Amino acid sequence: MVAVINFGGQYAHLIARRIRQLGVKSELISPDVKLPDLKKLNPQALILSGSPYSVYEKKSPKLNIKIYNLKLPILGICYGLQLIAYQLGGKVSSRQTKQFGKEILIIKNKSPLFENLLNKETVWFSHGDQVDKLPRGFDIIASTKNAKIAAFQNLQKKLFGIQFHPEVSHTPKGEKILRNFLFKIAKARKDWDLTEVKMQIVKKIKTEVGNDKVLVALSGGVDSLVATCLIREALGSNLYPIFIDTGLLRQYDIHDFRKMVKILNFKNVQIIKAQDRFLKILKGVVDPEEKRRKIARVYFEILEEEAKKIGNVIYLGQGTIYPDRIESAQTSKHADKIKSHHNVTLPHGLKLKIVEPLAELYKDEVRTLGRILNVPDSFLNRHPFPGPGLGIRILGEVTKERLEIVRAADEVFISELKSAGLYNIKEGSSKMSQALAAILPVKSVGVMGDARTYSYMIALRCVDTVDFMTADWSKIPNEVLEKVSSRIVNEVRGVNRVVYDITQKPPATIEYE
Ligand code: XMP
């Protein structure tokens, strides 16, 4: 495997995904990793990621200096390049003219890293610092107009650094550079093939669970669906899928679920009707985190009750994926807690043991696995829907009336996106990755048929994103927005105004609460 040392840069996950896409197993590793633990992983190479820090800041994350002596090929990207320079005796400083965006890279010296590249290539920069002085034993291999040292190497020690980001699509030859590093320099073996990975996961579930029963709560989303298919492949009839109708679902969720059960031929399926139970505990609750906590508590209570009813259920299957785990670990360590996503924050005292078949995988890999498992694209390409459902798309108190309104508005929005051919995620595309309608708890004045109205406002949100950590608002054609708005105010009673959200994440999040 190739270890990506994660210094907190926004593209660290992307680096790991790109390496896996090139057929080599890759994992994010914390810079605090202990040397024996790193050795145990037996990496074929290391990649040092970017970071929001500057290397000369006291609190900036550093690499254990002994790691440079392990004789492993290392590629430092952006902050990674600066760290190599800084830790091995070079000099790094901040610049007045920062380099952000596209730049022309001029290749100055021969390097296996840049094999088969032209002398000038477009690359993507995103950092304010620069290396001013090389460490001993290093040579410059590329420059730009503003940065003399844009890439360097110590060929003998197989240490390389690039100031730009090869992992982003704005660096057209980025993949070639990563390929050169992996296969020409590190001589990495191809060991990441999802068909193989699928077989390993199924085998692991078989050994872990044996003849015990597993309950899985399907949410209608991709992750829990693919996890369920894997568990079924491993355990057959010992799988008990359930779907909880929380009353916080969208118009089409139950219908789609029934269709999915039929097409995929799931057995032992139960739909638990619990709308009243959820509405009751949400009465008077306006705080988003309290909503999440209450919804999660009742959700897991129901799961435990159902497990008891079935009898002898030992395991609960979950669709937790790799970024969920990494992000929740980071949340406890460096970052502020933004939201408590409930598939990673399990309630205290849960008696069921957890099986997480997708714990090592990224979302795009989950979709590919789904295809390998013959899950139709129409299910795999559904937008994510959060565990607390419409509960966090109704700002303020959840009531029956507000649920009906947001449900009807969402139905119009999604069906219009579908008819305009804008809904499906194409493989590898970030466009329109999630669309939703939310109801804002304010009323505004309008006029309808000569009469004054005083009604709710619907906010539409649709984002382009790869990893859901950062997102841009989708540039939906005006005609589509116009049709959606006109249909909502005409068809959804209690709404007289529709707004389209044009905020990026950050600073806004994708959901409203
Ligand atoms: P945010 O709103 O944090 O959303 O920008 C990022 C992604 O996570 C989903 N999300 C959730 N998923 N439980 C979930 O299972 C939650 O509480 C939750 N909150 C947000 C959101 O829909 C988006 O895909």
Side-chain angles (χ1 to χ4, degrees), residues 292 338-343 384-389 392-393 434 436 461 467-469 505 508-513:
R292 273 192 168 76
I338 314 282
K339 296 171 187 186
S340 3
H341 289 218
H342 79 201
N343 54 350
F385 185 57
I392 55 166
R393 293 180 182 175
Q434 189 169 5
L436 60 101
R461 183 138 173 83
D467 52 16
F468 298 87
M469 298 285 290
K505 172 184 179 177
T509 52
I510 296 172
E511 301 288 348
Y512 278 79
E513 288 194 331

Side-chain angles (χ1 to χ4, degrees), residues 264-395:
L264 293 172
N265 198 18
F266 281 129
K267 302 282 188 258
N268 307 328
V269 178
Q270 286 193 72
I271 297 181
I272 313 293
K273 292 199 174 303
Q275 298 100 313
D276 294 343
R277 201 158 154 184
F278 281 93
L279 258 188
K280 202 165 146 204
I281 52 130
L282 289 173
K283 198 167 171 13
V285 181
V286 290
D287 177 69
E289 279 299 286
E290 195 184 342
K291 271 188 201 173
R292 273 192 168 76
R293 274 196 302 277
K294 291 204 151 153
I295 294 171
R297 201 175 64 222
V298 176
Y299 200 88
F300 282 100
E301 264 171 31
I302 296 175
L303 290 181
E304 294 216 283
E305 288 164 17
E306 292 309 311
K308 250 192 208 139
K309 280 188 209 157
I310 296 165
N312 297 324
V313 175
I314 310 287
Y315 290 92
L316 174 67
Q318 290 248 102
T320 317
I321 63 172
Y322 190 52
D324 296 342
R325 278 177 41 218
I326 298 288
E327 277 148 29
S328 63
Q330 275 180 351
T331 298
S332 61
K333 203 158 167 216
H334 306 295
D336 207 15
K337 175 162 157 186
I338 314 282
K339 296 171 187 186
S340 3
H341 289 218
H342 79 201
N343 54 350
V344 270
T345 2
L346 295 169
H348 257 342
L350 185 77
K351 291 194 189 71
L352 297 163
K353 291 190 203 162
I354 302 295
V355 193
E356 292 175 328
L358 308 175
E360 303 296 327
L361 303 178
Y362 285 105
K363 194 93 182 180
D364 54 333
E365 294 174 321
V366 172
R367 290 206 165 94
T368 310
L369 255 195
R371 278 182 205 110
I372 295 173
L373 289 155
N374 294 322
V375 178
D377 274 352
S378 53
F379 298 134
L380 294 177
N381 291 346
R382 289 187 85 192
H383 290 179
F385 185 57
L390 298 178
I392 55 166
R393 293 180 182 175
I394 294 169
L395 283 72

Side-chain angles (χ1 to χ4, degrees), residues 216-265:
V216 184
L218 279 156
S219 66
V222 182
D223 303 341
S224 61
L225 174 59
V226 175
T228 306
C229 290
L230 284 165
I231 298 174
R232 174 172 66 176
E233 186 141 332
L235 307 179
S237 60
N238 270 345
L239 168 74
Y240 291 82
I242 76 168
F243 185 79
I244 303 180
D245 182 355
T246 56
L248 307 169
L249 300 172
R250 295 161 300 181
Q251 199 95 300
Y252 38 86
D253 282 320
I254 296 262
H255 171 265
D256 289 0
F257 178 75
R258 289 190 204 278
K259 202 162 119 191
M260 184 179 87
V261 167
K262 208 165 157 199
I263 291 178
L264 293 172
N265 198 18

Side-chain angles (χ1 to χ4, degrees), residues 112-149:
L113 195 62
F114 296 150
E115 218 173 283
N116 295 323
L117 263 65
L118 302 175
N119 282 340
K120 286 186 180 175
E121 293 284 0
T122 303
V123 295
W124 183 263
F125 271 75
S126 171
H127 212 281
D129 293 343
Q130 265 184 36
V131 177
D132 289 331
K133 190 176 143 245
L134 288 171
R136 201 150 10 128
F138 281 75
D139 301 308
I140 297 177
I141 48 175
S143 307
T144 67
K145 193 163 64 77
N146 297 314
K148 195 169 157 222
I149 308 176

Side-chain angles (χ1 to χ4, degrees), residues 163-227:
Q163 175 70 70
F164 55 91
H165 289 274
E167 69 279 19
V168 303
S169 53
H170 310 290
T171 300
K173 294 283 175 64
E175 185 190 311
K176 183 145 258 165
I177 296 171
L178 288 175
R179 258 182 206 287
N180 284 343
F181 177 68
L182 292 177
F183 303 117
K184 297 221 154 76
I185 295 165
K187 312 273 187 250
R189 283 179 305 279
K190 288 203 174 186
D191 55 2
W192 191 250
D193 165 39
L194 282 173
T195 311
E196 186 84 10
V197 169
K198 187 204 103 177
M199 290 191 307
Q200 285 167 14
I201 296 175
V202 169
K203 200 168 142 198
K204 192 165 167 243
I205 303 172
K206 273 187 187 155
T207 348
E208 209 174 300
V209 177
N211 291 322
D212 286 325
K213 293 179 187 169
V214 179
L215 184 82
V216 184
L218 279 156
S219 66
V222 182
D223 303 341
S224 61
L225 174 59
V226 175

Side-chain angles (χ1 to χ4, degrees), residues 10-21:
Q10 56 173 330
Y11 302 126
H13 269 297
L14 197 54
I15 302 172
R17 278 181 47 224
R18 292 274 182 260
I19 295 169
R20 289 185 183 190
Q21 281 164 355

